[in-house]
Amino acid sequence: FPARSLAGEHVVLTAGPTREAIDPVRYISNRSSGRMGFALAAAAARAGARVTLVSGPVALPTPPGVERVDVESAAQMHDAVMARIADCTIFIACAAVADYRVATPADAKIKKNDADMALALVRNPDILADVAGGAQAPFTVGFAAETNDMQANAEGKRRRKGLDMIAANWVGRPGSGFDAEDNALEVSWDGGSVALGPSPKTRLAEALLEVVEQRLRDKQSQ
Ligand code: C5P
């Protein structure tokens, strides 16, 4: 992978899960490990980019040369990204952002009683769609974790959110997706697609960044 190929670029990434508080001790979250996003951040830094990694709660060390911003909730992730997007040239949304948050998190620990209970949930902002829809939007890359009809669902997502590129992977299958060391991606853009992997997430990150760089140069020359 060419060492200085992303020199001059500012890559902003999101990674990991978000936590949506129910009360001071409980939250709603998911199984994202953050590994794909951290591997991409490390690879982008190795390629000479300035890298800002906005991460949910994960148990991973910060890659060398990467500026890391830790957040918990989707709302915090949204604010942290929007505050850093102005001079960003490539935005890669790897985070498994919770689609919903608890409408009114309790200030004190909720006590149980014999009755059933229901939690009211409200929609979270879509960070990726907001970045892609902004003025002077960077080159935007989304991820789509799918359990069925992977290509069709991913391409629909790419168009709906107005993205330059989408990387789709299967979840719930051995050797891919959440919390796995290896992954395989089906990457598509307006007018093309390529299959990457299965390979370790570090290797896959470099391969994906190569495709991103090619499409970015194509877009710039148009
Ligand atoms: O629509 P869906 O959640 O499947 O889209 C996944 C893509 O959108 C991922 O790249 C994810 O990081 C991003 N996303 C986001 N903010 C949300 C939901 C998803 O940035 N609230």
Side-chain angles (χ1 to χ4, degrees):
F1 188 48
R4 303 294 303 164
S5 56
L6 292 179
E9 307 297 338
H10 179 200
V11 180
V12 177
L13 306 101
T14 64
T18 64
R19 279 183 188 171
E20 310 301 323
I22 298 171
D23 68 17
V25 295
R26 305 180 179 99
Y27 55 79
I28 297 170
S29 193
N30 60 67
R31 294 181 188 280
S32 170
S33 67
R35 280 201 285 251
M36 191 68 227
F38 274 60
L40 278 163
R46 287 197 302 275
R50 178 182 155 212
V51 182
T52 307
L53 175 60
V54 180
S55 180
V58 297
L60 294 172
T62 308
V66 169
E67 186 205 343
R68 174 173 177 175
V69 182
D70 285 309
V71 297
E72 290 224 336
S73 67
Q76 287 168 356
M77 187 174 276
H78 185 269
D79 291 352
V81 166
M82 291 307 162
R84 289 166 180 84
I85 211 70
D87 66 350
C88 164
T89 55
I90 301 172
F91 178 68
I92 308 179
C94 263
V97 184
D99 293 317
Y100 300 89
R101 67 177 178 277
V102 177
T104 13
D107 292 334
K109 187 180 170 194
I110 299 169
K111 301 292 180 201
K112 62 177 161 291
N113 58 34
D114 288 339
D116 292 338
M117 79 174 283
L119 278 176
L121 303 177
V122 295
R123 285 295 304 267
N124 270 328
D126 191 312
I127 303 165
L128 178 54
D130 283 359
V131 170
Q136 303 277 304
F139 188 91
T140 48
V141 184
F143 274 76
E146 305 291 346
T147 56
N148 58 289
D149 298 330
M150 182 168 82
Q151 278 287 57
N153 284 337
E155 195 50 23
K157 223 163 258 187
R158 189 183 70 77
R159 288 168 187 274
R160 233 180 4 263
K161 299 195 190 204
L163 310 179
D164 292 298
M165 186 177 283
I166 194 144
N169 59 269
W170 292 109
V171 288
R173 300 193 170 196
S176 83
F178 279 20
D179 218 4
E181 199 59 62
D182 286 16
N183 202 0
L185 298 173
E186 192 74 38
V187 185
S188 56
W189 56 90
D190 193 7
S193 69
V194 64
L196 303 177
S199 40
K201 284 178 178 175
T202 26
R203 201 34 230 115
L204 202 60
E206 294 181 349
L208 178 59
L209 282 184
E210 270 181 68
V211 182
V212 167
E213 203 222 330
Q214 283 164 11
R215 306 315 315 167
L216 175 67
R217 302 300 171 221
D218 263 26
K219 194 183 172 188
Q220 285 167 341
S221 68
Q222 271 166 21

